Amino acid sequence: DSGSVVPYPSLVAQSESTQRNTSKSGSASTAAMGTSSSSSSSASALIISACDKAGMEGIDRTRVDEIIMRESAGSVYMKQQQKRDQNVNVKIDELKQKLAAKDYSMASINSNATSWRRAGEHALEPIIDELVQSRPRRSTCVVVDMDGFYISCELLSRPPELGNLPCCVGGNMITTSNYVARRYGVRAAMPGWIGDKLVEELSNGKERLIHIPSNFDLYTRKAHIIRGALAEYDPNLRAYSLDEAYLDIGPYVDLRVGRGWSHERVVATLASTSKHSCEDKEHVDEEVGNEEEFIHCNVDISAIAAVVKEMREKVKVATGGLTCSAGLASNFMLAKIASDQNKPNGQKVVGPSHKEVLEFVHPLSVRKVPGIGRVMEKMLNAFDIHIVHDLYKERALVQFLFKPASARFLLRASLGWSNDSLDPSAPEDDEVGSSSSASGQKGISKERTFSAGKSWEELNSKLEDVCRSLSQSMVEKNIKAHTITLKVKLHTFDVITRAKTMPRGIVLQNADQMIVEMTEMLLNVKRQHKGTFSVRLLGVRCSNFQGDEERSQDSGQMDISKFISTCSPIRASHNSLVHSTGTTKMTSRIEKKVDFAQKGAQTDAQVKNTDISSFFSKEKGWNKVEEFETAQVLDSGTNSTHALHSVDPGNVSSVPASR
DNA sequence: GGGCCCGGAGTCG
DNA sequence: TTCCACGACTCCGGGCCC
Ligand SMILES: Cc1cn([C@H]2C[C@H](O)[C@@H](COP(=O)(O)OP(=O)(O)OP(=O)(O)O)O2)c(=O)[nH]c1=O
Ligand SMILES: [Mg+2]
């Protein structure tokens, strides 16, 4: 359609209260008609407990939502959520105006308000082609996620009958619940008393939610056992959290299934080769064969699935009964999504072909994509994008609406092939790029919530406690930091942070030193703040670790002119850095890394014609019709260094200056 | 132009 | 009667500096 064009100037800011969700099922262009987007219900859509998590299928979520809303109605917390919600609505309306302006200007030239999208889609074709081309051809990425981890750990050492009752870990705040409790809508990040209410009311008073205090050490111990079991299958596994691990079992299945080796022999080989570097690499090549053989080793996917099943069983035995679920796919984004599909105690395989990938990912809610949270979901929904397929269908619109990094991420997600850093589910495949400090940790923090309305003296006392506690952790971990940040949460739930980076040569670890800085900062915050200074949380964070900066040769200061003019080898930093840092793994691993993170070298040819942001952003002056019709996204000499397929440049290029 | 710093926000488990 | 954590990471925009 699109015949009718909205006069741009008529788009006045909508009053948020007047929406009635007019944008039924019309295409996103309906949204462009200026009807205020914004959510339908007055309740903040950001907080209702979307019962879409594992173990919560088919429960009467209307009643759950009703109880939750009733329990939190009018609370300060709720008011804060509504404020957030309103801010998102404002953002949405801004985007809609931006879109309307685009359609309008296009229409004035072309008499067709939305044809620019076709052109945009056309411009995306080569990029999509390349992404599809570079897709891994095997499903050997595994995400293992423990079922109800904390609560399962707790129930292990308790009478089994307890497992049939609704249980959770945490008192005032629930960190997780068992699957019985989930049937009542009780879930992580829910305050305890709401969980109580849910169970009480939805069981008609027959049951009560059982709270078990948290025992973090227990979970940490179990986590180590789990990793030990999993490491047999991939010694280079990434532990994303206590209960979640990312593995590439390609090498394992090649030897175990492809070569028919025994489990023990495979484990021994992998273990001996993964650890160290160059010498071992040759050793591996002898023992394992060359990489072509590796790659073309066509292992039946059901055989890989069988390996995963066996692996899960080993975890269960090693932990004394903890179950886990797993996803098996050709990349970690898909594997992560898949790991949730057959929870608990199940697994899901996604084949590597383009067809299989799309069949899997397209019907899913965009919310399933790791990295798309409540806010992004709401924004997408406002443009009638609900499932991943919509994300693909509206790819031109998405490219136009969002910032390059987000747009890139969303496009890749819509193709089932994402490893952007916006997606935290893709842990870096190792130590090459970032922080030389052993753990790779970038910050450490401590924060405490207490009843609001404390006196000034009490506040300072709390702050000292937090500082001392943090300091102790830093001593234990041998961490010294350059930057310290104070966090203050007011009784309204508004958060204020203030940071200070110490002068050269001064480093933070000592408690008294931190206390000095923090108390001064707190005083400043208090002075700046107008209105009653009623605090419910104080926190301290240290970052910018000493030893994290390291190699920053060439610290000499240059004349400013050099900075501005000579901008030649922007992109060289990528390749050369990856190269020069020296990767120390066996060939097959490196191969893998290219598949996973696409960090390998890119040819200049690849770099060309890939920055589509310039195509959609009118700031660059690309919004004239001619360009759209020729649809060439040329580019480039400029800043188009981050192509859609180049991933997470931040990580590789983050070599901070010396301090 | 690009790096670092700061503060706000979003996301995850 | 009340009552919504904590630790970690990333990105973005604005300011300052070379
Ligand atoms: C989501 C979440 C988890 N956690 C902790 C408790 C969880 O047991 C642990 C792992 O998180 P999850 O894997 O998200 O949850 P889960 O393992 O308890 O349940 P399942 O995977 O079967 O759906 O992390 C929090 O402390 N806060 C949170 O908000
Ligand atoms: Mg889990």
Side-chain angles (χ1 to χ4, degrees):
Chain A
D1 51 313
S2 80
S4 55
V5 174
V6 181
Y8 175 42
S10 82
L11 293 173
V12 288
Q14 312 286 330
S15 78
E16 300 297 342
S17 45
T18 59
Q19 4 62 352
R20 197 60 285 179
N21 204 7
T22 33
S23 65
K24 265 296 184 224
S25 59
S27 78
S29 65
T30 320
M33 304 302 258
T35 39
S36 177
S37 60
S38 313
S39 69
S40 41
S41 88
S42 57
S44 60
L46 257 43
I47 76 146
I48 58 167
S49 83
C51 298
D52 56 351
K53 275 306 186 191
M56 316 192 61
E57 310 81 12
I59 69 181
D60 51 351
R61 67 177 281 178
T62 35
R63 288 198 65 193
V64 171
D65 287 343
E66 184 262 318
I67 293 173
I68 293 176
M69 291 308 293
R70 169 160 46 82
E71 286 308 306
S72 41
S75 66
V76 188
Y77 174 77
M78 187 57 101
K79 290 198 199 317
Q80 164 68 17
Q81 290 306 304
Q82 286 164 348
K83 195 155 75 185
R84 274 185 62 197
D85 204 70
Q86 280 304 92
N87 290 337
V88 175
N89 286 340
V90 169
K91 258 196 216 165
I92 289 173
D93 284 340
E94 284 168 4
L95 286 181
K96 292 204 167 176
Q97 293 207 30
K98 180 179 167 183
L99 174 59
K102 175 75 165 185
D103 286 347
Y104 176 70
S105 78
M106 285 298 100
S108 68
I109 298 171
N110 204 10
S111 85
N112 186 336
T114 56
S115 66
W116 60 271
R117 298 180 198 213
R118 304 292 90 74
E121 286 161 17
H122 183 255
L124 284 169
E125 270 170 29
I127 297 160
I128 292 175
D129 280 351
E130 162 143 9
L131 281 173
V132 173
Q133 279 302 314
S134 66
R135 189 184 302 272
R137 302 190 301 295
R138 293 206 304 174
S139 291
T140 61
C141 295
V142 185
V143 171
V144 177
D145 187 311
M146 303 304 296
D147 302 325
F149 185 49
Y150 291 6
I151 188 66
S152 301
C153 289
E154 296 295 345
L155 292 178
L156 222 46
S157 59
R158 286 178 166 79
E161 307 88 78
L162 219 51
N164 302 320
L165 303 174
C167 302
C168 67
V169 171
N172 294 331
M173 185 57 91
I174 296 169
T175 59
T176 194
S177 56
N178 67 354
Y179 281 69
V180 179
R182 289 186 201 194
R183 303 299 302 173
Y184 295 111
V186 177
R187 56 178 299 167
M190 174 180 280
W193 79 90
I194 290 185
D196 295 339
K197 270 285 191 307
L198 283 171
V199 172
E200 197 177 315
E201 294 198 23
L202 295 180
S203 73
N204 296 317
K206 287 193 182 55
E207 300 208 82
R208 288 175 64 99
L209 180 61
I210 297 166
H211 294 260
I212 298 173
S214 181
N215 180 357
F216 201 74
D217 286 345
L218 172 62
Y219 319 139
T220 307
R221 284 200 304 276
K222 289 292 183 191
H224 284 124
I225 294 172
I226 293 162
R227 286 166 203 174
L230 293 178
E232 291 194 337
Y233 293 83
D234 176 8
N236 299 311
L237 70 87
R238 296 292 129 185
Y240 182 66
S241 67
L242 277 188
D243 93 318
E244 207 167 312
Y246 289 58
L247 299 81
D248 179 357
I249 58 171
Y252 180 94
V253 298
D254 282 332
L255 299 179
R256 176 81 188 282
V257 183
R259 299 281 184 96
W261 290 9
S262 72
H263 173 76
E264 287 70 24
R265 186 177 174 196
V266 177
V267 171
T269 307
L270 291 181
S272 73
T273 58
S274 70
K275 277 279 198 283
H276 318 290
S277 34
C278 301
E279 327 108 58
D280 276 339
K281 174 187 163 307
E282 332 239 318
H283 170 254
V284 171
D285 285 345
E286 288 166 21
E287 188 155 351
V288 158
N290 62 22
E291 50 186 300
E292 279 91 50
E293 195 172 345
F294 243 45
I295 294 203
H296 292 113
C297 186
N298 237 342
V299 179
D300 183 18
I301 195 163
S302 64
I304 308 183
V307 166
V308 173
K309 188 142 173 44
E310 177 188 286
M311 185 169 72
R312 292 200 294 118
E313 190 57 33
K314 293 219 173 184
V315 168
K316 186 170 175 183
V317 171
T319 55
L322 295 183
T323 66
C324 63
S325 301
L328 174 61
S330 51
N331 65 61
F332 285 110
M333 183 196 87
L334 293 175
K336 178 163 175 52
I337 297 173
S339 74
D340 212 44
Q341 296 259 311
N342 288 325
K343 254 181 182 307
N345 198 16
Q347 63 185 56
K348 164 83 182 170
V349 180
V350 182
S353 75
H354 191 43
K355 183 164 174 288
E356 289 166 297
V357 166
L358 294 189
E359 278 173 1
F360 172 72
V361 85
H362 271 186
L364 299 175
S365 159
V366 293
R367 187 60 209 283
K368 292 286 184 189
V369 176
I372 298 183
R374 294 181 189 287
V375 171
M376 181 57 96
E377 179 190 31
K378 178 171 168 142
M379 294 204 288
L380 291 172
N381 286 172
F383 290 90
D384 279 308
I385 295 170
H386 295 96
I387 62 174
V388 177
H389 183 57
D390 299 333
L391 206 50
Y392 179 75
K393 273 192 309 189
E394 300 291 351
R395 57 196 179 280
L397 173 63
V398 168
Q399 295 301 312
F400 170 73
L401 287 179
F402 297 100
K403 300 268 180 293
S406 298
R408 194 163 54 232
F409 163 71
L410 292 171
L411 177 69
R412 297 178 60 121
S414 77
L415 296 169
W417 176 216
S418 163
N419 286 300
D420 267 17
S421 57
L422 284 188
D423 168 9
S425 80
E428 288 312 323
D429 192 32
D430 76 348
E431 57 275 18
V432 172
S434 59
S435 56
S436 53
S437 95
S439 64
Q441 189 176 18
K442 301 195 169 143
I444 185 169
S445 64
K446 207 66 89 174
E447 66 185 52
R448 284 305 151 222
T449 294
F450 39 80
S451 59
K454 295 244 178 291
S455 74
W456 179 243
E457 290 72 27
E458 288 171 311
L459 280 187
N460 279 286
S461 168
K462 293 279 181 197
L463 186 55
E464 289 177 23
D465 292 344
V466 172
C467 285
R468 273 191 273 271
S469 172
L470 177 59
S471 168
Q472 188 185 335
S473 299
M474 291 174 68
V475 170
E476 283 163 9
K477 295 184 162 190
N478 192 23
I479 289 174
K480 295 187 170 73
H482 292 120
T483 303
I484 187 165
T485 306
L486 171 69
K487 171 172 170 178
V488 178
K489 183 147 66 181
L490 305 176
H491 79 292
T492 56
F493 290 89
D494 289 313
V495 173
I496 301 167
T497 66
R498 292 287 177 270
K500 173 175 179 179
T501 298
M502 306 307 285
R504 228 173 273 268
I506 299 186
V507 132
L508 294 155
Q509 186 184 52
N510 173 283
D512 294 328
Q513 196 182 357
M514 291 170 47
I515 289 172
V516 170
E517 300 296 335
M518 291 296 91
T519 47
E520 185 191 343
M521 230 177 234
L522 181 59
L523 183 59
N524 285 335
V525 170
K526 177 178 150 81
R527 280 209 264 256
Q528 280 176 25
H529 183 261
K530 27 187 176 294
T532 53
F533 193 61
S534 177
V535 177
R536 84 183 325 273
L537 171 147
L538 287 174
V540 178
R541 171 182 162 86
C542 284
S543 52
N544 242 329
F545 296 160
Q546 179 186 49
D548 223 24
E549 62 269 299
E550 243 51 29
R551 35 207 98 290
S552 135
Q553 59 285 61
D554 154 54
S555 62
Q557 52 243 52
M558 332 168 103
D559 185 5
I560 185 170
S561 57
K562 288 184 192 158
F563 279 95
I564 299 180
S565 59
T566 63
C567 57
S568 45
I570 294 174
R571 132 153 307 282
S573 62
H574 266 65
N575 302 333
S576 63
L577 221 157
V578 170
H579 248 244
S580 69
T581 333
T583 86
T584 58
K585 302 175 105 179
M586 52 190 269
T587 317
S588 70
R589 296 293 308 174
I590 294 176
E591 232 11 84
K592 261 304 152 219
K593 182 183 308 199
V594 173
D595 278 351
F596 172 31
Q598 291 277 303
K599 270 192 202 160
Q602 293 173 343
T603 69
D604 285 334
Q606 284 173 307
V607 171
K608 261 187 201 139
N609 281 354
T610 45
D611 181 9
I612 109 155
S613 69
S614 60
F615 181 79
F616 289 96
S617 76
K618 70 174 176 195
E619 296 84 27
K620 302 237 172 172
W622 288 106
N623 56 349
K624 296 218 199 80
V625 143
E626 299 81 39
E627 279 89 332
F628 285 108
E629 283 176 349
T630 58
Q632 285 319 317
V633 190
L634 27 149
D635 133 341
S636 83
T638 65
N639 61 354
S640 64
T641 109
H642 306 336
L644 275 148
H645 54 254
S646 103
V647 166
D648 192 11
N651 184 48
V652 177
S653 60
S654 69
V655 183
S658 70
R659 156 153 271 109

